[in-house]
Amino acid sequence: MVKKTVKKTAAKTAAKKTVKKAAVKKAVLKKTAKYIYSFGAGRAEGNGKMKELLGGKGANLAEMAGQLKLPVPPGFTITTEVCTYYWNNKRTYPKTLKADVEANLKKIERETKKVFGSAKNPLLVSVRSGARASMPGMMETILNIGLTEETIPGMIAKTGDERFVYDAYRRLIMMYSDVVMEKAAGIEPKDGEGIRKILDGMLGDLKTKLGVTDDTHIPADELKKLCVEFKKTVKQVLKKDFPDDPMEQLWGAIGAVFASWNGKRAIAYRNIENIPHDWGTAVNVQTMVFGNMGDTSATGVAFTRNPGNGDSHFYGEYLINAQGEDVVAGIRTPSPMNKWSANAHSAHLPTLEKVMPKVYKELDAIQKKLEKHFHDMLDIEFTIEDQKLWMLQCRVGKRNGTAAVQMALDMVKERLISKEEAVLRVTPAQLGELLLPAIDPKAEAGVKPIAQGLPAGPGGACGEIVFNSADAIKLQEAGKKAILVREETNPEDIEGMRAAAGILTQRGGMTSHAALVARGWGKCCIVGCGELEINLEAKTVKMGGKTFKEGDALTLNGTKGYVYDGALKMLTAGEGNKNLMHFLALCDKVRVLKVRANADTEEDAINARKFGAEGIGLFRIEHMFYGKNSEKPLFILRKMILSGNEAERKAAVEELFPYMKKEIKATMKAMAGYGVTVRLMDPPLHEFVPTLPSKQAELAEALGITLDVFKERAAGLHEVNPMMGHRGIRLGVTYPEITTMQSRAIFEAAAELIQEGVKAEPEVMIPLTCDVNEIITQKKLIRAAYDEVVAKTKVKKLHFSVGTMIEIPRAAVLAYEVAQEADFFSFGTNDLTQMTFGFSRDDIGAFLPEYLKQGILEADPFQTLDQRGVGMLIEHAVTEGRDAKPNLKVGICGEHGGDPASVEFCHREGFTYVSCSAFRVPIARLAAAQAAAKDVLAYKRK
């Protein structure tokens, strides 16, 4: 009898919450009347916990200014809610926003004693994006807003530096025309014909004409002329005058930042990083401070620890007489902050510690204070204006997997964070980087690098040279690996960078765009390889005295910065990595869920143990008929399938028995006492029928039948819908001798191991159950086989269990009944998803991409568990099963067992274990630890 469930499930609650989500979202803006939060001068209206409203940048500016009293230029943040309003209301703003902006500008004016738009004492501001999740380079920034023909003379008079003012003006023209007048206006020029590219070319031509290499060497009068030419070019190309009104500039910039939230590169980055598209960005309007006012000014980017390897020393780069964009653009080689920041390209340059010791000491003290306050490695941006230090930004720093693991371990030792916090500091993707390929040291030892750059991204990569993003994507789609070679990368390259196996750039430092993005993804990347001579038109690159063309092979060592000619042998990473082992040991101390592996051979089982698997959650017995040494047992299996009567079939079954016992025994022995769940044969029989005429004739001869009879029997096995046909438990019901033989093989293998002194406790799993009576029939056969083996081998203690694979919705619904006869449930979520959705997983390619694109489904349900639908069935089954049998063991053996979100679901539902492919075991160990850590930290917060 089915037990009625009165418990209100968490999955049901989640489903109801999702339905209400849209309505709640619409109501939010009406409830919140405050659209702007100000900061600066030792006070702030917001704080660091308000990331959803103020974005990461705005929240941390507020925290630095208000809580930590750091030197932050005054400004204000326009909330993410305004961005949502902007896109939901045809790019318009709430009615009160204009007055709010003007009121907050007045606050800045009072604090700075400057006036926005004043001819004598002008205030200049920057406008920057700031989503709640860091999206480096994906959205827009505009500096020096407020410079006009009217305010320029006042700036010159106030600073006494005409060159500085026109340098700032030409930067404004370049940024504003690109961001506001072209991109935000929806203009999509052909590659290389955008306004920024054109203006960059004009700047380059001027430097060539003057015989200088750096922008800083262009004199004031030439910059003044260049600004005039820039504005003429903007009018000619974009058909609009460059705005000469400060307020027009400000509102243009604000709108452009909101517009950039749905720019192509931002959308692409969010898709890659799984950042929700409905979050929106905040806009930060902040007083300009200038690092380009001469040799007493500078700008830089720093990290409280090295983001490339996790070293605990303060690390960063700076440029004298520059603005922030110069550092990340990689146009000039940045100088190191200190001796720990020096690399092969910057070791000869003076450190900030030596050039400005007083400022460096202040900055060093601030970075220590920030790390202690935020308990994490931080990425900070700063400007030094005439020896005065200003903090422009701090955020949790992007880091690669190697650095993330090192920092987590170090911070636990330093008692900066707990072990629970440590496991949450490393993402599954970052841990995966430590399992990425590396160059075989033996192969690398025998060759010399042809070039060397800065090691910006970890591991090794080998592939064909491409020179643009589109070609990198094409190669990936063709199943080939690409090495993307660029002078420097920019945000438009984002999809190509993701598609490439490795990235190699001519310019850029360790804080350049390519380095930051590659580091965040754990992508193999070498930047600042100055000896590259790239010809984009010819699609060639020269280095090491040789010219390479598109399609030639290169190998990169992103850990050392070496470039090699040709394709070197690669190794699977992870082995011998002590930090990886220590970190996973830390995860094991935190997690509750056990982690098993899906393994079908002795070799698979050995690999699974190396990755830390605590048993096998799915041994597919039929996989012995595939791959190495499968010819003989496959031939016997075919004889069994095509037998004409019970006698023939039983004879074939007995012939197959020793092969099956041998495979099971070897796998259980490799697991050395850990549980092994052996699934009885499951696939449709017709899959094993040979299609080659020679194989058909050989099999017919062995069976003693004609080829016509063979074909008649084979045709009889044909099914219209084989995935829902004669397979799984149905084989055992119709041919009980198959269940008996498999059970004998399992128990004899275990008995022999026990006699050899190896612990073995087999778990027999019946697949594709839909009714408890099926299990009852099979358990009788299994028990009879057990009794026979015990009598034969005289083994005193042979513990075993019999459970079932829940992969049919009916079995989940009737779980209370099923649990009466099952010792364990193992959810086969591949088939359970297929049957719940009514999707054939082999045919979803025709429609699923459109479902995801239109937002009908949030994710591919075969990649990450559908918690609202399939999850509700699972939760019901677990609740019912444990009501019937409180100690019921529950696991998952679909590939969802290695998906972090699905692992967290399994933890939440009280599963005993998850099981996944061997390579994904470390990821599952981390995901299980993270799920447990969230519980512990939530409890502590209460």
Side-chain angles (χ1 to χ4, degrees):
M1 183 174 178
V2 181
K3 178 181 172 296
K4 292 182 181 178
T5 304
V6 294
K7 179 183 174 185
K8 187 175 181 180
T9 66
K12 192 181 292 182
T13 304
K16 289 181 178 177
K17 281 182 181 176
T18 305
V19 173
K20 293 176 183 176
K21 200 174 178 183
V24 171
K25 210 173 185 180
K26 287 179 184 176
V28 166
L29 208 57
K30 293 177 184 176
K31 290 180 183 176
T32 308
K34 189 172 179 63
Y35 300 135
I36 295 181
Y37 290 73
S38 65
F39 57 82
R43 51 99 202 136
E45 293 178 329
N47 59 58
K49 295 178 181 177
M50 298 172 68
K51 287 184 171 59
E52 290 187 16
L53 194 62
L54 304 181
K57 189 175 295 180
N60 286 346
L61 281 168
E63 190 77 2
M64 286 196 294
Q67 299 297 313
L68 299 174
K69 311 299 182 188
L70 299 181
V72 174
F76 58 86
T77 301
I78 305 173
T79 69
T80 56
E81 289 179 352
V82 178
C83 184
T84 304
Y85 184 98
Y86 175 87
W87 282 106
N88 288 345
N89 293 274
K90 300 179 180 178
R91 297 197 180 198
T92 60
Y93 303 111
K95 290 178 181 178
T96 61
L97 189 68
K98 185 173 184 292
D100 289 346
V101 167
E102 290 172 358
N104 278 276
L105 265 178
K106 292 293 182 189
K107 281 186 188 178
I108 299 176
E109 289 174 347
R110 286 194 295 272
E111 288 167 7
T112 61
K113 296 181 174 56
K114 298 176 183 177
V115 179
F116 191 64
S118 166
K120 292 183 179 180
N121 186 25
L123 167 70
L124 303 188
V125 297
S126 63
V127 173
R128 303 171 193 261
S129 62
R132 70 175 85 166
S134 177
M135 295 172 58
M138 296 306 110
M139 291 181 292
E140 304 298 356
T141 293
I142 303 103
L143 307 178
N144 309 323
I145 291 167
L147 268 182
T148 66
E149 296 292 346
E150 187 176 351
T151 60
I152 283 173
M155 280 295 292
I156 294 171
K158 194 159 184 66
T159 62
D161 190 341
E162 185 181 25
R163 192 210 164 276
F164 150 69
V165 175
Y166 279 106
D167 181 55
Y169 193 42
R170 67 93 185 165
R171 291 171 185 271
L172 171 63
I173 298 168
M174 294 175 86
M175 281 187 271
Y176 194 95
S177 60
D178 172 39
V179 172
V180 182
M181 301 177 72
E182 186 172 85
K183 287 185 182 134
I187 299 170
E188 296 185 9
K190 292 179 182 176
D191 193 27
E193 295 180 15
I195 189 65
R196 182 64 191 248
K197 196 78 175 174
I198 293 168
L199 299 183
D200 276 334
M202 292 171 67
L203 179 63
D205 291 343
L206 177 60
K207 287 193 286 187
T208 302
K209 175 186 164 187
L210 297 173
V212 299
T213 55
D214 289 340
D215 304 348
T216 54
H217 295 145
I218 303 174
D221 59 332
E222 292 292 345
L223 283 171
K224 185 176 182 179
K225 290 179 200 171
L226 183 65
C227 288
V228 173
E229 293 304 314
F230 270 5
K231 290 201 286 186
K232 286 181 183 176
T233 303
V234 168
K235 175 70 182 287
Q236 182 183 346
V237 174
L238 300 177
K239 313 302 180 190
K240 282 185 179 180
D241 287 316
F242 184 81
D244 200 45
D245 176 78
M247 272 299 182
E248 185 182 346
Q249 289 178 5
L250 178 60
W251 283 103
I254 290 169
V257 170
F258 283 140
S260 72
W261 175 253
N262 280 329
K264 283 184 179 178
R265 68 194 191 204
I267 291 171
Y269 187 85
R270 291 199 297 274
N271 286 337
I272 292 166
E273 292 288 302
N274 293 316
I275 297 171
H277 294 294
D278 59 0
W279 276 4
T281 180
V283 172
N284 298 287
V285 179
Q286 192 171 17
T287 304
M288 277 298 304
V289 287
F290 302 97
N292 59 329
M293 290 186 71
D295 292 342
T296 59
S297 300
T299 188
V301 175
F303 301 84
T304 57
R305 299 181 188 225
N306 189 317
N309 59 25
D311 180 80
S312 60
H313 292 103
F314 188 30
Y315 178 90
E317 298 175 326
Y318 77 103
L319 281 172
I320 292 284
N321 197 14
Q323 286 197 327
E325 60 168 342
D326 299 335
V327 181
V328 295
I331 296 165
R332 290 164 57 189
T333 301
S335 299
M337 297 284 296
N338 49 35
K339 65 181 180 181
W340 295 290
S341 306
N343 55 53
H345 289 193
S346 65
H348 65 288
L349 298 172
T351 65
L352 183 67
E353 188 175 16
K354 289 183 178 178
V355 174
M356 299 182 188
K358 186 178 177 183
V359 174
Y360 175 83
K361 188 176 180 182
E362 182 186 1
L363 181 59
D364 189 37
I366 286 173
Q367 67 92 10
K368 287 173 181 170
K369 187 175 185 178
L370 285 170
E371 186 169 281
K372 189 175 181 181
H373 181 77
F374 285 100
H375 299 272
D376 206 345
M377 185 275 279
L378 297 170
D379 167 355
I380 58 180
E381 292 181 17
F382 64 92
T383 286
I384 302 163
E385 180 181 288
D386 195 20
Q387 296 286 350
K388 165 71 175 168
L389 175 65
W390 293 98
M391 302 301 295
L392 303 184
Q393 173 172 295
C394 83
R395 60 187 174 191
V396 172
K398 295 282 185 184
R399 64 205 76 178
N400 62 34
T402 300
V405 168
Q406 182 71 60
M407 289 177 198
L409 292 171
D410 285 347
M411 288 181 182
V412 170
K413 286 179 188 174
E414 296 163 17
R415 298 189 177 180
L416 190 64
I417 58 175
S418 66
K419 62 181 183 290
E420 288 82 13
E421 289 170 311
V423 301
L424 290 167
R425 290 292 169 83
V426 180
T427 66
Q430 286 172 328
L431 191 71
E433 290 168 31
L434 276 67
L435 305 168
L436 289 174
I439 303 172
D440 184 341
K442 292 178 182 177
E444 194 170 12
V447 293
K448 288 185 177 180
I450 55 172
Q452 182 177 4
L454 301 177
C462 164
E464 298 177 24
I465 295 172
V466 296
F467 294 93
N468 59 59
S469 289
D471 289 338
I473 294 167
K474 284 178 187 174
L475 267 190
Q476 184 196 41
E477 289 172 348
K480 298 179 180 179
K481 296 184 183 299
I483 301 295
L484 179 61
V485 178
R486 302 285 279 165
E487 290 177 348
E488 66 204 18
T489 65
N490 59 59
E492 274 70 32
D493 290 321
I494 197 73
E495 291 180 276
M497 292 171 71
R498 186 64 170 179
I503 302 157
L504 175 63
T505 73
Q506 180 185 24
R507 298 199 289 265
M510 292 294 279
T511 54
S512 65
H513 174 265
L516 287 171
V517 172
R519 193 177 298 128
W521 288 341
K523 181 79 66 176
C524 181
C525 177
I526 298 171
V527 300
C529 193
E531 59 196 280
L532 302 184
E533 296 178 25
I534 300 171
N535 185 328
L536 290 176
E537 288 186 12
K539 292 192 173 181
T540 61
V541 57
K542 187 176 180 181
M543 59 184 134
K546 179 179 176 180
T547 299
F548 296 82
K549 62 182 185 299
E550 185 177 52
D552 288 343
L554 287 181
T555 302
L556 308 184
N557 182 331
T559 306
K560 295 180 179 177
Y562 294 152
V563 183
Y564 296 99
D565 184 357
L568 299 187
K569 184 182 176 184
M570 307 294 288
L571 291 178
T572 300
E575 291 183 34
N577 188 322
K578 290 183 180 178
N579 269 1
L580 175 62
M581 290 187 288
H582 290 324
F583 180 74
L584 287 172
L586 187 71
C587 291
D588 294 342
K589 290 178 183 177
V590 175
R591 67 184 168 91
V592 177
L593 266 177
K594 298 291 183 183
V595 178
R596 294 187 173 195
N598 299 341
D600 306 309
T601 65
E602 178 185 15
E603 185 180 355
D604 287 347
I606 291 168
N607 284 332
R609 285 294 300 127
K610 285 180 182 177
F611 284 118
E614 300 162 299
I616 293 176
L618 179 62
F619 174 88
R620 290 159 285 211
I621 209 165
E622 68 274 6
H623 277 232
M624 66 177 287
F625 306 118
Y626 308 124
K628 191 167 63 175
N629 301 322
S630 64
E631 294 84 0
K632 183 67 175 175
L634 177 60
F635 185 76
I636 300 168
L637 176 74
R638 286 169 169 171
K639 283 170 62 179
M640 181 192 82
I641 291 169
L642 290 156
S643 298
N645 54 55
E646 186 178 345
E648 284 183 7
R649 188 164 50 253
K650 283 187 175 179
V653 162
E654 286 306 309
E655 194 179 354
L656 191 58
F657 171 78
Y659 293 96
M660 192 167 283
K661 183 177 81 172
K662 180 184 175 185
E663 289 294 322
I664 295 169
K665 182 179 177 180
T667 301
M668 283 200 289
K669 187 174 182 179
M671 272 289 126
Y674 284 102
V676 176
T677 302
V678 182
R679 184 186 73 181
L680 301 181
M681 282 178 60
D682 182 43
L685 295 180
H686 81 278
E687 286 187 0
F688 294 106
V689 176
T691 55
L692 291 174
S694 60
K695 294 290 183 183
Q696 291 177 347
E698 183 184 3
L699 193 54
E701 185 180 348
L703 289 167
I705 58 176
T706 66
L707 198 55
D708 287 340
V709 173
F710 171 90
K711 288 180 179 178
E712 185 180 332
R713 290 183 183 179
L717 294 170
H718 174 74
E719 294 176 303
V720 176
N721 191 345
M723 291 308 293
M724 299 177 76
H726 194 187
R727 56 175 279 223
I729 196 170
R730 298 154 204 166
L731 291 174
V733 171
T734 52
Y735 305 132
E737 58 271 21
I738 294 178
T739 296
T740 298
M741 182 272 291
Q742 292 178 90
S743 303
R744 277 177 48 225
I746 293 167
F747 294 135
E748 279 200 24
E752 288 177 11
L753 287 172
I754 290 168
Q755 289 172 334
E756 294 168 16
V758 178
K759 186 180 177 183
E761 289 189 14
E763 301 161 359
V764 183
M765 183 158 70
I766 301 169
L768 219 65
T769 304
C770 68
D771 194 277
V772 68
N773 289 318
E774 291 174 312
I775 299 176
I776 292 170
T777 65
Q778 296 303 292
K779 278 184 74 176
K780 288 177 183 176
L781 299 171
I782 293 166
R783 183 72 206 194
Y786 170 83
D787 291 340
E788 180 185 337
V789 170
V790 168
K792 176 183 174 183
T793 61
K794 295 184 171 51
V795 172
K796 292 181 180 179
K797 286 186 178 180
L798 176 50
H799 298 294
F800 76 100
S801 55
V802 179
T804 188
M805 202 168 178
I806 305 287
E807 47 196 328
I808 293 177
R810 189 176 191 271
V813 171
L814 301 178
Y816 187 83
E817 288 185 3
V818 173
Q820 308 288 335
E821 295 294 333
D823 298 319
F824 63 85
F825 284 176
S826 180
F827 288 92
T829 48
N830 298 339
D831 272 353
L832 186 59
T833 298
Q834 187 166 231
M835 294 193 191
T836 303
F837 273 90
F839 290 172
S840 163
R841 67 179 176 224
D842 298 318
D843 301 306
I844 56 172
F847 59 87
L848 188 62
E850 202 59 35
Y851 271 57
L852 299 176
K853 183 179 176 182
Q854 293 186 31
I856 295 170
L857 291 177
E858 291 181 1
D860 179 346
F862 294 100
Q863 297 293 322
T864 190
L865 188 70
D866 163 47
Q867 295 184 26
R868 289 175 53 227
V870 177
M872 192 180 290
L873 277 174
I874 292 173
E875 186 171 15
H876 168 83
V878 172
T879 302
E880 293 284 283
R882 284 192 171 145
D883 277 355
K885 194 171 284 183
N887 295 322
L888 183 73
K889 184 163 64 178
V890 177
I892 184 173
C893 62
E895 270 308 296
H896 294 102
D899 169 63
S902 306
V903 171
E904 183 173 357
F905 171 84
C906 293
H907 168 86
R908 201 167 60 240
E909 297 305 322
F911 276 46
T912 313
Y913 67 86
V914 295
S915 188
C916 56
S917 60
F919 183 76
R920 299 182 84 185
V921 165
I923 305 297
R925 288 164 71 187
L926 171 62
Q930 289 182 331
K934 288 175 185 176
D935 285 351
V936 171
L937 295 174
Y939 178 79
K940 285 181 179 178
R941 281 193 293 270
K942 287 180 183 177

